[in-house]
Amino acid sequence: MARFSTSQTAAAVPLNGRIKKRRTKSIPLIQQVAGADRFWVMLFLLPFIILYTSFTLWPLLATIIYSFFDWDGNGPLELFIRLENYITIARDPLFWLSFRNTLVFALINTAIKLPLSLMAAILLTRKWLWGQRLFRTVYFAPLVIPVAMAGLIFQLLLHPANGAINDLLTSTGLVQRPIDFLGNERLALLSLVIVSVWQIFGQYMIYWMAALQNVPEALYEAAELDGAGEWKKLVHITLPIIRPVAIIILFLAFVNALKVFGLVVTMTGGGPGFQTYVVPYFIYTQALVDFPFRYGYASAAAVLFGVTILLAVTVQGYFVRRAEADRKDYGV
Amino acid sequence: MIRMNRFSRYNLIAVTLLVIIGFIWIYPFLWVMFASLKTSSEMFSAGATLLPENWDLSNFVRAWDKANFSTYFFNTVLYAAAATVIELFKSSMCGYVLGRYRFPGRNLLLGLVTATLFIPIASIILPQFKLVQALGLLNTRAGVILALSGGSGALYVLLFTGFFQTLPDELFESARIDGATFWQTFRLMLPLAKPIIATVVIFQFMSTWNEFNIPLVFTLGRPELRNMAVGMYAFRGEFSVDWTGFAAGTTISIIPVLLVFFVFQGYFVRGLAGAVKQ
Amino acid sequence: MKRKPLLIVIFLLIAAAAACAPQTVEVTRVVTETVTEEIEVTRVVTETIEVEGEEVEVTRVVEVMTEEEMEPVTLRVMNWSQEQADFYEQVAAEFQNEYPHITVEWDTLEQGQYRETLPLMFQSGDSPDIFFWLGGDRVLTMAELLDQNWVAPMDNTVLPDDFYDRWPEGSFLEGINVVNSLPYSFPFNDNFVWGPGYMYTNKDVFRAAGLDPDVPPTTWSELRTTCETIAENTDAFCLAVPLGNDLQRTWYPLSGMNFTDSFFDYQQGRFNIDDERQLETFNYLQGFFNDGLVVPGNNDKDFARQSMANGQAAIYFGGAWMPSVFAGYEVPDLDLGVFPPVMPDDGRAGSLRQSFSENKFYISAQSTHRTEATLFLEWMTRPDGFFATEYLAQGFGTLPFSDMGQYVTDEGLLQVIDVANENNLRVAYPEPVVACADVAQSKAVSNANSLTRNWEFIAMSEALLNGEDFSGTAAEIAEAKNGEFLTTLEEEAAAGLMIGVECFAFPEWEDITQAYDSALYETHQMPASDDS
């Protein structure tokens, strides 16, 4: 049985939500529901649909509703103010700064974590590698540390007065004066990016490992017979084959990075100044920290941000379709 | 012979590299573990030093008592296990149907699920709270479990959808010829999805284990129903934070998660990277 | 003020409690009630009491309460002082000794979680009977809480006559903790000692620098010289300054002695971060940053305090609660000095604002046990009761309803009290809401502050860390906030509120180092009536 799971694309493909469009000519993968199966299909869908509607769709809808009210999150929704929250948001410089910071964060974060985790995934799936299990666990480990603890650790490690990293930099003579990673307005966001890469790395490593299954081992063997080295195998076999899946992982990585929150709270609190304010943190402070709460306003910020991202994703959808076309060409 | 040598050479380079980077990688991790053995002033002043001057186990005692871990441990295990099982159950079933059958509304559902994956949902806790309240499940374990397993899952559904879609059709054909019912076929196919199951188990278990918002908010009237992640916040006082107690609490609470990873890593090895071995 | 301990043992007669005069001690009290088929609850109490110096043994039959009244009640109390959780358990037990039918469950949550979840608890109708709340603007808190329908008044039928006498005069103000003569809350921490503004020193660092640890710097220049000496002679930094919103801890004592610790100028009625005195204070502080005299880094308060406690810095400015915080840091040999803040060289030119209303505990409007909750608060605020004596003895803070001199034993807190008493750091500022009642409904200040929360502190922190000039940003902040403030005022006046900038400007308050005398309110110019 295991034969099938290993010979197929397994976990890699599912990262793609638009898979339904793809139909292989020879075997119709999807069958039309008929007869008694109707009942089963309904039954199988029900648990997910119920929970999904109640805990994902409804909150989303509620957020949109709240965004039209002047509401502190408490008591009845009474003060309908139409688009006023949106108008205020559009003129709120802190929101736009947060917006910009979020995008910068997500872009750099994605640009760093994906190649690195891909390299790790490739290395850690080489059959010749010693100690695979151990290394995988090691690189996965940061993912399990609660974010409040991770924030504290890095506050201490990055500290300019006695932090380990500055100790190392100054004692090796790399820098003259300690660097204030979290206090410097140009470095703070970047420091957050690095720490978040460290934290989330394991997750993308696993995604990449899934993607790498698309590469039939036979191709490698053939290449080896031709005397290709590891680098050539990477460039000419691995990368082209995983490209379609890579695009989907890229989306996921970028969108998840846009949700950055916990590390900001624990490491910088948005500072220095407002240099590390990101949209989720902005929403959080508006809705729940600064009294009186502005829940309606925060909801408007969330909706505005969400819609913008969705638009971006729709544009990206074009690339998804191209990726699928590519994949078909490779026949995997 | 030549092959062996070449791979040994690779290993020398790769393993050296992996060990060095790996040490940097888990250094913060080790730092927490050792911080839980230090006094608070030593923790703040020791900088990079890992080993404590005096080994002090009192943090663990304090962590266990103060954060109510003895009460919360059971809840944590229950919430994480139940939410993971429910998640597995609902996303595999849904993914199975989406991957194998065509029915009205299928595209809409897939589109929605995909879309919500990309929309950042900010502060959804309030609507969720109202819902659980309306169901009369506030201050019950059931409410917590429901909310924990209800909020996630879009990605998992897509994982299963993709997996079942790529299973060879002959499998289903032979099941049909053998007269297997819908349910029996599903029972046959599900075990093939081990790598997906492992992924879901690890990510879902890990996130529910560390989740503190839902277990806190839905059990406000009954503090004894909270989990360890909520308990950890007992170290943050009005005027000061007990960081060493927090470090000890972290150490206690992440060890089970790592254990789960170790156990299920077997599936990863076979499922995710297994192709390379064949 | 003092109550005989025996009163504590007497089971409370709900109806009669209010009549319990503190001086006349009723030795026996037998109350007969018409007992129908109800279950009769009687107790025979034998106790030794003191009557005019003699001990007398009395046996009384106490018919306590009707069955309905005796029904066990559970009170939920919540706050965010998690470090005091053990103390609260003792408090609940002690209280139950006296009121066996009332069980108190005192739950604590982390502050962030608390603020997030309390509104949810109210939404679900499952709020604690007694909750802790500190609003953004302490004067407007009461109005906000009423507005949200969160609070109920205390049941004053069970309050003793002398209840209000437990506090210094002027502690209960209509609109601040009293509404329609009904008390809703009470000052919890005193408003004279309690608050920011103290200079804490690590005496060992002073010694290491060759300085006399008992002769602290008293002026701005002295602090500067002290810091330079410390930098020259030791590895330590001089100041530990927390940043972001936590910067207030350092800012208040410096600006408070130079001008005001408020970003609002109550003499002129405007936001004042661009005032030259504020900029002077800022530039003074920035000098320490630029010359490397401050522990580097974007530190929060926890880091700043730790670095001072551990000898990486000599001086930390903080609030009256710091002694218990330092005690929790497990630095057993920390030799802590507590001193008044440093003054500008040409003398003190400002004052810290006496926060009138450290009202912190409220009874939930949803509570079905308002009477029991009031009983608990009454018990809790007894000047010589268990709560007050233990709270003070454990050094958690100061209380306005007890004799601190008698019960505080913590060395550091005693010093804090001394410093406060000798220096008169805090004075009463004018309260706009007292001048104009409609201020309670105004959103002018809150709108201006909502433009960007904690704007001043965050912007100052950024400038401090990066050595930037602040005057431009200051002007920008003041302009934006004053603009919003005035616009809102105009809109509100147009909507019929009796309000204007006059409600917030008190030019008759000439000397900011002296309290705004309550008599001055009578000379205050009120906004012109718009009724026509």
Side-chain angles (χ1 to χ4, degrees), chain A residues 293-311:
Chain A
F293 303 141
R294 298 207 283 175
Y295 214 100
Y297 189 68
S299 299
V303 173
L304 189 59
F305 185 68
V307 166
T308 318
I309 298 310
L310 195 63
L311 279 179

Side-chain angles (χ1 to χ4, degrees), chain A residues 150-168:
Chain A
L152 172 78
I153 303 164
F154 278 93
Q155 253 183 306
L156 289 164
L157 293 179
L158 294 171
H159 200 270
N162 55 0
I165 291 167
N166 271 306
D167 275 0
L168 195 74

Side-chain angles (χ1 to χ4, degrees), chain A residues 71-75 94 155-156 159-162 180 182-185 271-275 288 290-294, chain C residues 115-116 119 122-123 133 135-136 144 148 150 295-300 303 312 450 452-453 455 458 462 465-466 468:
Chain A
W71 190 49
D72 59 9
N74 180 58
L94 188 55
Q155 253 183 306
L156 289 164
H159 200 270
N162 55 0
D180 190 354
L182 299 177
N184 185 294
E185 51 194 11
F274 303 100
Q275 298 305 324
L288 298 166
D290 297 322
F291 198 74
F293 303 141
R294 298 207 283 175
Chain C
R115 284 179 169 273
E116 181 174 343
F122 274 100
Q123 288 246 319
W133 194 250
E144 283 166 356
Q148 290 181 316
W150 279 12
V295 178
N298 186 11
N299 301 309
D300 61 14
F303 268 73
Q312 290 158 18
S450 297
T452 299
R453 307 289 169 84
W455 199 353
I458 293 173
E462 190 180 10
L465 275 171
N466 292 285
E468 290 156 359

Side-chain angles (χ1 to χ4, degrees), chain C residues 316-454:
Chain C
Y316 174 80
F317 290 97
W321 48 88
M322 287 311 299
S324 70
V325 175
F326 283 125
Y329 279 169
E330 303 169 55
V331 190
D333 46 356
L334 170 65
D335 193 356
L336 187 69
V338 185
F339 300 103
V342 286
M343 306 288 165
D345 292 349
D346 33 6
R348 173 173 169 179
S351 58
L352 293 167
R353 179 181 193 174
Q354 199 178 74
S355 33
F356 245 108
S357 50
E358 284 284 358
N359 301 302
K360 290 177 173 175
F361 290 94
Y362 296 87
I363 297 176
S364 162
Q366 297 170 342
S367 171
T368 50
H369 308 302
R370 199 159 64 87
T371 305
E372 287 81 358
T374 309
L375 286 175
F376 178 72
L377 293 177
E378 184 278 323
W379 177 88
M380 187 175 130
T381 55
R382 288 180 190 170
D384 303 299
F386 176 82
F387 186 92
T389 52
E390 275 298 300
Y391 185 90
L392 292 174
Q394 297 197 30
F396 289 137
T398 66
L399 298 173
F401 49 81
S402 184
D403 181 1
M404 291 193 284
Q406 193 182 341
Y407 296 116
V408 173
T409 52
D410 181 86
E411 199 56 42
L413 191 54
L414 281 172
Q415 290 184 66
V416 168
I417 293 172
D418 282 347
V419 169
N421 285 336
E422 281 162 24
N423 293 280
N424 195 25
L425 300 172
R426 262 165 254 287
V427 308
Y429 277 28
E431 290 290 1
V433 74
V434 178
C436 306
D438 281 2
V439 164
Q441 298 168 51
S442 167
K443 290 196 161 173
V445 172
S446 122
N447 280 0
N449 285 328
S450 297
L451 284 177
T452 299
R453 307 289 169 84
N454 309 313

Side-chain angles (χ1 to χ4, degrees), chain C residues 145-160:
Chain C
L145 289 173
L146 278 174
D147 195 40
Q148 290 181 316
N149 239 336
W150 279 12
V151 283
M154 290 155 104
D155 177 359
N156 60 2
T157 59
V158 297
L159 288 176

Side-chain angles (χ1 to χ4, degrees), chain A residues 25-46:
Chain A
K25 275 155 275 165
S26 54
I27 320 156
L29 282 176
I30 297 170
Q31 61 189 92
Q32 191 71 39
V33 185
D37 283 358
R38 277 178 208 277
F39 163 75
W40 284 104
V41 165
M42 291 277 281
L43 191 72
F44 268 47
L45 285 174
L46 217 57

